[in-house]
Amino acid sequence: MGRVYNFSAGPAVLPEEVLKEAADEMLDYRGSGMSVMEMSHRSKVFDTIIKEAEQDLRDLLNIPDNYRVLFLQGGASTQFAMIPMNLMKNKVADYIVTGQWAKKAYKEASKYGKANCIASSEDKTFSYIPDCSDLPVSDDADYVYICENNTIYGTKFKELPNTKGKILVSDVSSCFLSEPMDISKYGLVYGGVQKNIGPAGVVIAIIREDLITDDVLPETPTMLQYKIHADSDSLYNTPPCYGIYICGKVFKWLKKMGGLEVMKAKNEEKAKILYDYLDGSSLFKGTVVKEDRSLMNVPFVTGDAELDAKFVAEAKAAGFENLKGHRSVGGMRASIYNAMPKEGVEKLVEFMREFEKKNL
Ligand SMILES: *Cc1c(COP(=O)(O)O)cnc(C)c1O
């Protein structure tokens, strides 16, 4: 069987070119006589892999010199604890709750200090981004936290919140490298890579240097201190070597594609094909307020759970995989990350048109 069009929210589609290259190098990485999976993380060969990965990521995002790039483990969810443990100096932080991931982060932070929910869109099933231009940011807040692209609900912050001078912390797991971003506006940006960059397990944190200190909450585990990882250039212990290697390949692929401005244009073009169809369809409709629509995750419904299930089943049979919506929302969701070709979206829309004709 050939490759399918994989609309999974994560782990998700990766560039075929990258997978083929990794396959070619599986048994013998560039004359080393071994797989990257088998080599020492202290070897010269791996040192080149991780350093190049960092430099390529820096180039792609124009990361300023006063930010560190850390390759960590434990997925995005471990950051829900690591962030308050390291950054809650006053033991106060403000959270903007725009979906389940933000809510989980907020709840986790409550274990370590006073986490305030200063805005939420839960009243309308997280189908929009609240107005964040003048929020009641706490005077003593150590940071303001957002989940920038809400993977489950398909919303995205098009404008960053006004944090009134407080540090902004952002979970960008599902929009990482989908478009350029101004890192200097954040104290900490992080993301699990399995949505748009690489294999699950790796999490990349981009953190402003002055926020990396020994002044962390008492009893913070060694492995959960940013400083430990920063001081040893992400090699304090054995990092997820193979995952980092794949991420590095994806960074090179993105550079070859022309960088993040080009990816943004491609992603806008792809998303428009799907949203335009949804806006004109008499059967399917999008579930998100137009202004806040994500370029990466597109949820939609027919309004009839049985028909939704029929669509998902027929789509699967036709080679469109993982279109079922998140278990908490139902309906459908098409995740159209960087590596989803435009052709995949066009074919999906073609298939939806046919389904609409037959089922209206
Ligand atoms: C998937 C996801 C997470 C959780 O990632 P894990 O690596 O499974 O912990 C957190 N935040 C967002 C926005 C996500 O999409």
Side-chain angles (χ1 to χ4, degrees):
M1 194 183 154
R3 284 174 59 78
V4 296
Y5 288 116
N6 180 8
F7 293 93
S8 171
V13 58
L14 288 171
E16 204 167 298
E17 222 177 293
V18 165
L19 298 178
K20 280 188 175 146
E21 218 180 270
D24 284 345
E25 293 172 347
M26 182 60 81
L27 295 181
D28 176 8
Y29 178 75
R30 300 188 185 175
S32 66
M34 56 182 101
S35 167
V36 173
M37 235 181 280
E38 301 171 300
M39 63 178 57
S40 167
H41 57 297
R42 311 265 176 221
S43 65
K44 222 179 155 66
V45 180
F46 187 73
D47 188 61
T48 305
I49 290 173
I50 193 169
K51 289 228 169 78
E52 271 187 30
E54 173 170 348
Q55 190 54 53
D56 287 334
L57 181 62
R58 285 188 173 277
D59 295 346
L60 284 166
L61 282 169
N62 277 316
I63 299 175
D65 288 343
N66 63 327
Y67 284 74
R68 294 295 305 271
V69 172
L70 305 178
F71 293 98
L72 306 171
Q73 320 196 38
S77 300
T78 299
Q79 294 303 305
F80 298 169
M82 198 161 169
I83 289 161
M85 285 179 146
N86 285 265
L87 300 186
M88 261 190 175
K89 318 286 182 198
N90 297 325
K91 294 204 168 201
V92 179
D94 290 349
Y95 280 73
I96 298 173
V97 176
T98 52
Q100 287 195 25
W101 295 120
K103 197 171 177 177
K104 281 189 174 165
Y106 161 63
K107 286 198 170 151
E108 190 71 11
S110 308
K111 291 184 175 180
Y112 304 103
K114 190 168 179 329
N116 305 302
C117 170
I118 56 166
S120 166
S121 53
E122 194 163 12
D123 59 335
K124 290 181 183 160
T125 337
F126 299 120
S127 58
Y128 69 103
I129 298 291
D131 177 1
C132 296
S133 58
D134 186 19
L135 294 174
V137 176
S138 311
D139 285 338
D140 50 355
D142 292 302
Y143 59 88
V144 174
Y145 182 101
I146 61 169
C147 177
E148 203 155 323
N149 185 78
N150 295 279
T151 326
I152 297 171
Y153 303 93
T155 58
K156 161 123 207 280
F157 281 82
K158 301 289 163 81
E159 223 175 289
L160 294 177
N162 174 3
T163 63
K164 304 186 175 170
K166 303 297 180 194
I167 293 159
L168 180 61
V169 173
S170 179
D171 175 356
V172 297
S173 295
S174 51
C175 58
F176 221 171
L177 306 184
S178 63
E179 56 184 285
M181 61 192 295
D182 182 354
I183 296 293
S184 71
K185 293 198 169 132
Y186 305 80
L188 168 61
V189 173
Y190 78 94
V193 304
Q194 74 274 27
K195 307 291 159 68
N196 209 13
I197 302 176
V202 182
V203 57
I204 297 173
I206 303 166
I207 179 169
R208 215 175 62 204
E209 230 157 33
D210 60 289
L211 301 176
I212 305 173
T213 68
D214 282 324
D215 178 23
V216 299
L217 297 189
E219 291 166 32
T220 297
T222 307
M223 274 294 286
L224 296 190
Q225 297 178 27
Y226 290 118
K227 189 162 190 306
I228 288 285
H229 295 284
D231 284 350
S232 50
D233 295 325
S234 302
L235 293 169
Y236 169 71
N237 71 327
T238 320
C241 303
Y242 196 80
I244 292 167
Y245 154 76
I246 299 291
C247 291
K249 285 201 179 300
V250 172
F251 300 154
K252 290 203 188 294
W253 178 78
L254 288 167
K255 282 176 112 173
K256 203 170 92 185
M257 296 290 281
L260 300 190
E261 284 292 353
V262 172
M263 290 318 294
K264 181 183 186 197
K266 281 182 190 292
N267 288 327
E268 281 173 346
E269 193 188 357
K270 281 189 290 179
K272 188 173 184 315
I273 294 168
L274 189 46
Y275 284 125
D276 281 354
Y277 167 69
L278 288 171
D279 289 342
S281 170
S282 314
L283 181 65
F284 297 103
K285 57 176 180 303
T287 57
V288 166
V289 169
K290 271 189 191 173
E291 312 82 79
D292 301 328
R293 284 169 164 176
S294 166
L295 288 182
M296 297 282 100
N297 312 99
V298 183
F300 54 95
V301 294
T302 63
D304 172 347
E306 245 169 68
L307 201 53
D308 286 350
K310 185 177 177 212
F311 174 78
V312 171
E314 288 185 14
K316 184 179 166 69
F320 305 101
E321 287 275 354
N322 293 313
L323 281 166
K324 196 170 187 288
H326 189 270
R327 54 198 143 83
S328 67
V329 189
M332 282 72 72
R333 171 179 50 174
S335 294
I336 48 176
Y337 296 117
N338 283 340
M340 171 59 64
K342 180 177 153 191
E343 187 198 35
V345 182
E346 286 169 342
K347 291 226 166 113
L348 173 65
V349 166
E350 223 172 273
F351 179 82
M352 289 169 79
R353 264 187 228 289
E354 284 304 308
F355 186 89
E356 177 169 350
K357 258 191 231 153
K358 284 186 253 168
N359 291 279
L360 202 60

